[in-house]
Amino acid sequence: MRTSLALGITGFSLIAVTYGMARFSWGLMMPSIAEDIPFTPRLSGIIAACSYLAYCLSVVGASFLVSRFGPRLPAVIAALCAAAGMLLLAASHSPVMLASGLFIAGLSSGLASPSLASAVTRTVAENKQTMINTVINAGTGAGIILTVPVLAFVPGGWRIACVVFGVMAVLCLLPAIRSLPAERLKANPDHNRGHQWLLRAPMKCLIIIAFISGMSSAAWWNFGPDILRNHLGVNPHLSSLLWLVSGAAGIAGVMTGPAARYLSMKQIYRLSQLSMATPLLLLALSHTFSGWLYPAVALGGAGYVTLSGVLLVVGASITKDSPAAGVGVAFFMLALGQIAGTAIFGLFYAQAGAAPTLIGFASLALLMVFLPPKEHR
């Protein structure tokens, strides 16, 4: 029990730092950063893409590190990358330094999730693994909750905020060293031969779901603030508040594990997809600010974190002997979908406008309702 609790708290904190702060804080900081270090909108997209690229690379490398060195080392590297990336951002004076800082910080989230999933599989009783995994995954919401007051109230602006985020990442080192196992698993030749689990129907289905869901999620997470301001005429303060509501609602992902006692994983998955589609549809059909946006964006934030928790649990179950590999594939495809979705949304947004583009991307999430993940037996 103590081991499960310690791992849950450590993983929750590490995910809060690597995802909520090191990865998602850029969207909130960018307007302030652009005032100090001018860059064009096109260059802004390139800088933001560095974080996604780093995430994809580190997710691929995480399963290799876990299999060779155990879960502890990649988790420690994740905390160090988050700290180094944030501190480099704080010291930046050019777009190149900003891109480098975001790249290093982006490595942290891709390393954290697979290593924590592997640690849960190895140290937590099987009947508690879903609950611990989803609690850890909900740390994203907690991280986003903390970024807003730090950016708003800590003296010194975004540079000092980045230093604070870096210090928080360093504070995760000791718990990670103490809570995560260091030993690697012995190789299972029947499991690893030819990576045959990639050919299983459940994994193929998971790859499709993760990619298309990533495309759909890019609409809000990459363009939400811009649409609120330019399509609905929402002022920057209210836009930041809605972003906070959306990110904070992600902590509801903690309830995925307890909910699994009453609902099947497929039902939770369908609810998460419907929740992701809701804010996109409301944004598409609105022309001015509406009070309904508060619950809608909250549903979207909770839906995204819950969905990523479902992908994590399903990916780990498909590759039971190597959970880091299954989680890595699922999260890699989710990030790849977000990259593709960002490019496609930006193209259609410029050509067709906000409303039809939002409806199209909401339709992707609605389409996935009819393609639930397959359970591996």
Side-chain angles (χ1 to χ4, degrees):
M1 180 63 183
R2 290 183 178 178
T3 301
S4 299
L5 180 61
L7 181 57
I9 294 173
T10 299
F12 184 89
S13 303
L14 186 60
I15 292 298
V17 166
T18 56
Y19 280 84
M21 298 177 189
R23 189 174 178 200
F24 286 117
S25 65
W26 170 255
L28 287 173
M29 294 190 297
M30 187 180 67
S32 299
I33 294 175
E35 293 178 0
D36 294 342
I37 307 174
F39 47 80
T40 64
R42 181 179 179 182
L43 190 56
S44 171
I46 295 174
I47 293 172
C50 289
S51 178
Y52 283 100
L53 175 61
Y55 179 79
C56 290
L57 292 174
S58 59
V59 160
V60 172
S63 60
F64 169 78
L65 289 174
V66 170
S67 64
R68 286 291 301 270
F69 304 104
R72 182 186 296 173
L73 179 63
V76 167
I77 295 175
L80 291 173
C81 285
M86 288 292 98
L87 293 176
L88 182 57
L89 277 178
S92 295
H93 54 75
S94 69
V96 173
M97 290 185 71
L98 290 174
S100 301
L102 268 187
F103 182 87
I104 295 171
L107 292 171
S108 65
S109 50
L111 290 167
S113 291
S115 60
L116 290 169
S118 178
V120 169
T121 300
R122 294 173 56 177
T123 60
V124 177
E126 189 169 357
N127 63 336
K128 296 180 180 179
Q129 288 177 11
T130 295
M131 181 181 68
I132 298 298
N133 271 322
T134 52
V135 165
I136 289 173
N137 191 61
T140 300
I144 294 175
I145 290 174
L146 287 172
T147 59
V148 175
V150 169
L151 285 166
F153 301 116
V154 172
W158 63 272
R159 293 185 185 275
I160 300 302
C162 286
V163 173
V164 172
F165 299 153
V167 170
M168 289 183 177
V170 172
L171 293 177
C172 289
L173 283 172
L174 182 59
I177 293 171
R178 295 185 63 179
S179 302
L180 274 70
E183 302 79 14
R184 65 175 183 172
L185 283 174
K186 293 182 179 179
N188 185 339
D190 292 332
H191 173 79
N192 291 324
R193 187 174 56 222
H195 296 290
Q196 293 179 2
W197 47 266
L198 279 171
L199 304 177
R200 296 172 183 166
M203 180 55 76
K204 292 179 181 178
C205 181
L206 184 65
I207 286 172
I208 295 171
I209 290 170
F211 181 78
I212 297 180
S213 298
M215 289 183 64
S216 177
S217 70
W220 169 251
W221 291 113
N222 289 332
F223 295 91
D226 183 77
I227 290 171
L228 287 170
R229 296 180 187 182
N230 297 322
H231 179 58
L232 301 185
V234 174
N235 63 62
H237 175 74
L238 186 54
S239 177
S240 296
L241 180 59
L242 286 166
W243 185 266
L244 171 61
V245 169
S246 177
I251 205 169
V254 168
M255 300 307 297
T256 304
R261 299 177 183 176
Y262 307 99
L263 301 173
S264 70
M265 197 58 70
K266 288 183 179 180
Q267 289 172 319
I268 296 172
Y269 162 81
R270 289 189 171 103
L271 287 172
S272 68
Q273 293 285 9
L274 289 172
S275 297
M276 285 175 55
T278 299
L280 302 184
L281 290 173
L282 186 60
L283 286 170
L285 300 175
S286 301
H287 299 286
T288 57
F289 171 77
S290 166
W292 286 104
L293 277 173
Y294 285 109
V297 299
L299 274 176
Y304 175 77
V305 175
T306 301
L307 173 69
S308 63
V310 171
L311 297 179
L312 188 156
V313 170
V314 174
S317 68
I318 292 173
T319 56
K320 194 68 175 178
D321 295 332
S322 181
V327 173
V329 169
F331 279 28
F332 174 79
M333 295 308 299
L334 187 68
L336 203 61
Q338 288 172 331
I339 294 173
T342 299
I344 295 171
F345 189 98
L347 178 64
F348 280 89
Y349 184 26
Q351 298 295 326
T357 308
L358 286 166
I359 291 174
F361 273 67
S363 299
L364 293 176
L366 295 175
L367 181 64
M368 289 298 98
V369 171
F370 302 99
L371 182 66
K374 299 180 184 295
E375 295 182 7
H376 175 64
R377 300 185 184 278

Coordinates of all heavy atoms in Angstrom, one line a residue, residues 45-46 48-49 52 214-223 334-349 357 361:
G45 N 5.2 29.0 -34.8 CA 4.8 27.6 -35.0 C 6.0 26.7 -35.0 O 5.9 25.5 -34.6
I46 N 7.1 27.1 -35.6 CA 8.3 26.3 -35.7 C 8.9 26.0 -34.2 O 9.3 24.9 -33.9 CB 9.4 27.0 -36.5 CG1 8.9 27.0 -38.0 CG2 10.7 26.2 -36.4 CD1 9.8 27.8 -38.9
A48 N 7.1 26.1 -31.4 CA 6.2 25.2 -30.7 C 6.4 23.7 -31.2 O 6.3 22.8 -30.5 CB 4.8 25.6 -30.9
A49 N 6.7 23.6 -32.5 CA 6.9 22.2 -33.1 C 8.1 21.5 -32.5 O 8.1 20.3 -32.5 CB 7.0 22.3 -34.6
Y52 N 6.9 19.2 -29.8 CA 6.3 18.0 -30.3 C 7.3 17.0 -30.8 O 7.2 15.8 -30.6 CB 5.3 18.3 -31.4 CG 4.0 18.9 -30.8 CD1 3.7 20.2 -30.8 CD2 3.0 18.0 -30.3 CE1 2.5 20.7 -30.3 CE2 1.8 18.5 -29.8 CZ 1.6 19.9 -29.8 OH 0.4 20.4 -29.3
G214 N -5.4 12.4 -31.6 CA -4.4 13.4 -31.5 C -4.7 14.6 -32.5 O -4.6 15.8 -32.1
M215 N -5.2 14.2 -33.7 CA -5.6 15.2 -34.6 C -6.7 16.1 -34.1 O -6.7 17.3 -34.2 CB -6.0 14.6 -36.0 CG -4.9 14.0 -36.8 SD -5.5 13.3 -38.3 CE -6.1 14.8 -39.2
S216 N -7.7 15.5 -33.6 CA -8.9 16.2 -33.0 C -8.5 17.1 -31.9 O -8.9 18.2 -31.8 CB -10.0 15.2 -32.6 OG -11.1 15.8 -32.0
S217 N -7.6 16.6 -31.0 CA -7.2 17.4 -29.8 C -6.4 18.6 -30.1 O -6.4 19.6 -29.4 CB -6.5 16.5 -28.8 OG -5.2 16.2 -29.3
A218 N -5.7 18.6 -31.3 CA -4.9 19.7 -31.7 C -5.7 21.0 -31.9 O -5.2 22.1 -31.7 CB -4.1 19.4 -33.0
A219 N -7.0 20.8 -32.3 CA -7.9 22.0 -32.5 C -7.9 22.9 -31.3 O -7.8 24.1 -31.4 CB -9.3 21.6 -32.9
W220 N -8.2 22.3 -30.1 CA -8.3 23.1 -28.9 C -6.9 23.5 -28.3 O -6.7 24.7 -28.0 CB -9.1 22.4 -27.9 CG -9.1 23.1 -26.5 CD1 -8.5 22.7 -25.4 CD2 -9.6 24.4 -26.2 NE1 -8.6 23.6 -24.4 CE2 -9.3 24.6 -24.8 CE3 -10.3 25.4 -26.9 CZ2 -9.7 25.8 -24.2 CZ3 -10.7 26.5 -26.2 CH2 -10.4 26.7 -24.9
W221 N -6.1 22.5 -28.2 CA -4.8 22.7 -27.4 C -3.8 23.6 -28.2 O -3.0 24.3 -27.6 CB -4.1 21.4 -27.1 CG -4.9 20.6 -26.1 CD1 -5.5 19.5 -26.3 CD2 -5.2 21.0 -24.7 NE1 -6.2 19.1 -25.1 CE2 -5.9 20.0 -24.1 CE3 -4.8 22.1 -23.9 CZ2 -6.4 20.0 -22.8 CZ3 -5.2 22.1 -22.6 CH2 -6.0 21.1 -22.1
N222 N -3.9 23.7 -29.5 CA -3.0 24.5 -30.3 C -3.7 25.8 -30.8 O -3.0 26.8 -31.1 CB -2.4 23.8 -31.5 CG -1.5 22.7 -31.0 OD1 -0.8 22.8 -30.0 ND2 -1.3 21.6 -31.8
F223 N -5.0 25.8 -31.0 CA -5.7 27.0 -31.6 C -6.8 27.6 -30.7 O -7.4 28.6 -31.1 CB -6.3 26.6 -32.9 CG -5.3 26.2 -34.0 CD1 -4.9 24.9 -34.1 CD2 -4.7 27.2 -34.8 CE1 -3.9 24.6 -35.1 CE2 -3.7 26.9 -35.7 CZ -3.4 25.5 -35.9
L334 N -0.3 9.5 -30.6 CA -1.1 10.7 -30.2 C -0.4 12.0 -30.5 O -1.0 12.9 -31.0 CB -1.3 10.6 -28.6 CG -2.3 11.6 -28.0 CD1 -3.7 11.4 -28.5 CD2 -2.2 11.6 -26.5
A335 N 0.9 12.0 -30.3 CA 1.7 13.2 -30.6 C 1.8 13.4 -32.1 O 1.7 14.6 -32.6 CB 3.1 13.1 -30.0
L336 N 2.0 12.3 -32.8 CA 2.0 12.4 -34.3 C 0.7 13.0 -34.9 O 0.7 13.8 -35.8 CB 2.3 11.0 -34.9 CG 3.0 11.0 -36.3 CD1 4.3 11.7 -36.3 CD2 3.1 9.5 -36.7
G337 N -0.4 12.5 -34.3 CA -1.7 13.0 -34.7 C -1.8 14.5 -34.4 O -2.4 15.3 -35.2
Q338 N -1.3 15.0 -33.3 CA -1.3 16.4 -32.9 C -0.5 17.2 -33.9 O -0.9 18.3 -34.3 CB -0.8 16.6 -31.5 CG -1.8 16.1 -30.5 CD -1.3 16.1 -29.1 OE1 -0.1 15.9 -28.8 NE2 -2.1 16.2 -28.1
I339 N 0.6 16.7 -34.3 CA 1.4 17.4 -35.3 C 0.7 17.5 -36.6 O 0.6 18.6 -37.2 CB 2.8 16.7 -35.5 CG1 3.6 16.7 -34.3 CG2 3.5 17.3 -36.7 CD1 4.9 15.9 -34.3
A340 N 0.1 16.4 -37.1 CA -0.7 16.4 -38.4 C -1.9 17.3 -38.2 O -2.2 18.1 -39.1 CB -1.1 15.0 -38.7
G341 N -2.6 17.2 -37.1 CA -3.8 18.0 -36.9 C -3.5 19.4 -36.8 O -4.3 20.2 -37.4
T342 N -2.4 19.8 -36.3 CA -2.0 21.2 -36.2 C -1.8 21.8 -37.6 O -2.3 22.9 -38.0 CB -0.7 21.4 -35.4 OG1 -0.9 21.0 -34.1 CG2 -0.3 22.9 -35.4
A343 N -1.1 21.0 -38.5 CA -0.8 21.5 -39.9 C -2.1 21.6 -40.7 O -2.4 22.5 -41.4 CB 0.1 20.6 -40.5
I344 N -3.0 20.5 -40.5 CA -4.2 20.5 -41.3 C -5.2 21.5 -40.8 O -5.9 22.2 -41.6 CB -4.8 19.1 -41.2 CG1 -3.9 18.1 -41.9 CG2 -6.2 19.0 -41.9 CD1 -4.3 16.6 -41.7
F345 N -5.3 21.7 -39.5 CA -6.3 22.7 -38.9 C -5.8 24.1 -39.4 O -6.7 24.9 -39.8 CB -6.3 22.6 -37.4 CG -7.4 23.4 -36.8 CD1 -8.6 22.8 -36.4 CD2 -7.2 24.8 -36.6 CE1 -9.6 23.6 -35.9 CE2 -8.2 25.6 -36.0 CZ -9.4 25.0 -35.7
G346 N -4.5 24.4 -39.3 CA -4.1 25.7 -39.7 C -4.4 26.0 -41.1 O -4.8 27.1 -41.5
L347 N -4.2 25.0 -42.0 CA -4.5 25.2 -43.4 C -6.0 25.5 -43.7 O -6.3 26.5 -44.4 CB -4.1 23.9 -44.2 CG -4.4 23.9 -45.7 CD1 -3.6 25.0 -46.4 CD2 -4.0 22.5 -46.3
F348 N -6.9 24.7 -43.1 CA -8.3 24.8 -43.3 C -8.8 26.1 -42.6 O -9.8 26.7 -43.0 CB -9.1 23.6 -42.9 CG -9.0 22.5 -43.9 CD1 -8.0 21.5 -43.9 CD2 -10.0 22.4 -44.9 CE1 -8.0 20.5 -44.8 CE2 -10.0 21.4 -45.8 CZ -8.9 20.4 -45.8
Y349 N -8.2 26.4 -41.4 CA -8.6 27.6 -40.7 C -8.4 28.8 -41.5 O -9.2 29.8 -41.5 CB -7.8 27.6 -39.4 CG -8.2 28.7 -38.4 CD1 -9.4 29.3 -38.4 CD2 -7.2 29.1 -37.5 CE1 -9.7 30.3 -37.4 CE2 -7.5 30.1 -36.6 CZ -8.7 30.7 -36.5 OH -9.0 31.7 -35.6
T357 N -14.1 24.4 -39.9 CA -12.9 23.6 -39.5 C -13.1 23.0 -38.2 O -12.7 21.8 -38.0 CB -11.6 24.6 -39.5 OG1 -11.5 25.3 -40.7 CG2 -10.4 23.8 -39.2
F361 N -13.1 18.9 -37.2 CA -12.3 18.3 -36.2 C -13.1 17.7 -35.1 O -12.7 16.7 -34.5 CB -11.3 19.3 -35.7 CG -10.0 19.3 -36.5 CD1 -10.0 19.8 -37.8 CD2 -8.8 18.9 -36.0 CE1 -8.9 19.9 -38.6 CE2 -7.7 18.9 -36.8 CZ -7.7 19.4 -38.1

